Amino acid sequence: MDLAVFEPDVFELALDLEVLIELQAELPETSPRRMRILQALDDALDALDLQHIVETASDARAQLADVLASPADASAHRIAAIGHAHIDSAWLWPVRETIRKVARTTSSMATLIDEQPDFLYGMSSAQQYAWIKEHRPEVFARVRDAVAAGRFLPLGGMWVESDTVMPTGESLVRQFSHGQRFFEREFGIRSKGVWLPDSFGYSPRCRS
């Protein structure tokens, strides 16, 4: 086992440098944006004292702030990153293990939400929320507070992540009916999108 002191500024600086080095490599060589990034990287490394990295990491990061915040072209897409843990409600383990996994994951994510002001987490399947409410009410209370704050996002509106090939239309309607009513009753919200990351196929009714 290796032990080390975690220095947040140094860690964040390493990430900033990695992002910008990879970004400039994808831009055309004559791109003004690429030139600005290269200049900012040069300025950041000038500000970084290799004999005192911890003390000067924040100064180096300051040199990169503008190019990191600079948007792409006006027509470019905006991308948002939201945390998610795909947990099968019924897989090769007993239901009691699913309940434990859901409780551990949501507890960890609630802690990350408390510690990281920009972190968002999304979880689907009203059934999994219902398990937390029944078996770990103290965790569910934290989830409810995070949902109210817009940080913990109920996804999909279905009772479980459903297959859409074999079930009938009535079955899918019931998935949404029960799922959305749970989210509305517990959190006062309705999901606005379908969430099917592991459906093993999409029926015509889901593409229409």
Side-chain angles (χ1 to χ4, degrees), residues 121-190:
Y121 180 74
M123 188 172 88
S124 65
S125 301
Q127 172 65 82
Q128 295 186 1
Y129 290 83
W131 278 329
I132 304 168
K133 182 181 180 183
E134 178 183 357
H135 297 278
R136 295 292 301 277
E138 77 285 0
V139 175
F140 188 74
R142 298 177 68 194
V143 170
R144 180 178 280 148
D145 290 342
V147 171
R151 306 281 305 282
F152 199 114
L153 313 175
L155 302 174
M158 304 179 87
W159 189 253
V160 296
E161 292 176 3
S162 173
D163 170 48
T164 62
V165 177
M166 297 180 66
T168 64
E170 175 68 16
S171 176
L172 293 176
V173 168
R174 287 176 181 269
Q175 285 277 6
F176 285 108
S177 176
H178 287 280
Q180 291 283 39
R181 278 189 291 181
F182 180 89
F183 288 150
E184 191 168 36
R185 181 175 67 252
E186 299 295 336
F187 307 121
I189 64 172
R190 281 178 173 262

Side-chain angles (χ1 to χ4, degrees), residues 64-110:
L64 304 174
D66 288 343
V67 290
L68 283 168
S70 177
D73 297 333
S75 61
H77 294 290
R78 295 184 63 188
I79 298 175
I82 298 174
H84 174 68
H86 176 68
I87 303 174
D88 287 304
S89 295
W91 197 59
L92 302 179
W93 50 53
V95 172
R96 65 179 181 272
E97 185 58 29
T98 307
I99 295 170
R100 286 196 292 264
K101 286 182 179 294
V102 170
R104 287 194 298 266
T105 299
T106 50
S107 178
S108 297
M109 296 305 104

Side-chain angles (χ1 to χ4, degrees), residues 39-49 60 63:
Q39 184 60 58
L41 289 168
D42 190 54
D43 294 341
L45 295 178
D46 284 343
L48 184 69
D49 186 340
Q63 300 298 323

